[in-house]
Amino acid sequence: MNSIPWTVTAVEPRGGTVVRLTFADDTVADFDLAYLLNRPDTVFAAFTADMIPAAQLVDGTVAWETPSGTVDLAADALYDHTRGVCPGGTCEGWEPSMTRLVHE
């Protein structure tokens, strides 16, 4: 096992805006990433629902290749989301109901 539990080891599109992530400690969760859409003035400004299934594993997290370069999510924050926690108390659109823990 990787010594950093929040390292993402697998990314699987699940349909629509849902992506399943597996972490180094074998935690698995489905994330509805719809909250990334329609966010002007962020790296996600050009994201569409059709882009989310193109998610891939890059350097231990989930990422997308865009014309502007690679856009990724903070693996540690995603891992915290599996526990219903929003790091720093504000996740700009993320709600606990958007993450479903499959197993720990």
Side-chain angles (χ1 to χ4, degrees):
M1 180 177 80
N2 187 317
S3 62
I4 303 173
W6 60 79
T7 300
V8 177
T9 59
V11 175
E12 177 188 351
R14 301 290 291 173
T17 56
V18 177
V19 175
R20 177 170 286 178
L21 302 180
T22 302
F23 295 88
D25 70 349
D26 293 326
T27 296
V28 177
D30 291 339
F31 295 83
D32 185 345
L33 300 176
Y35 72 94
L36 299 177
L37 306 175
N38 303 313
R39 296 191 52 199
D41 303 323
T42 73
V43 297
F44 303 105
F47 263 47
T48 66
D50 294 337
M51 292 175 70
I52 290 178
Q56 53 191 306
L57 179 63
V58 176
D59 295 329
T61 193
V62 59
W64 295 263
E65 295 299 330
T66 72
S68 303
T70 303
V71 175
D72 63 3
L73 299 178
D76 58 332
L78 292 166
Y79 187 81
D80 285 348
H81 288 180
T82 70
R83 273 69 178 158
V85 174
C86 181
T90 175
C91 286
E92 298 184 36
W94 176 80
E95 298 291 332
S97 63
M98 296 172 169
T99 302
R100 185 180 70 81
L101 186 62
V102 176
H103 73 76
E104 293 186 79

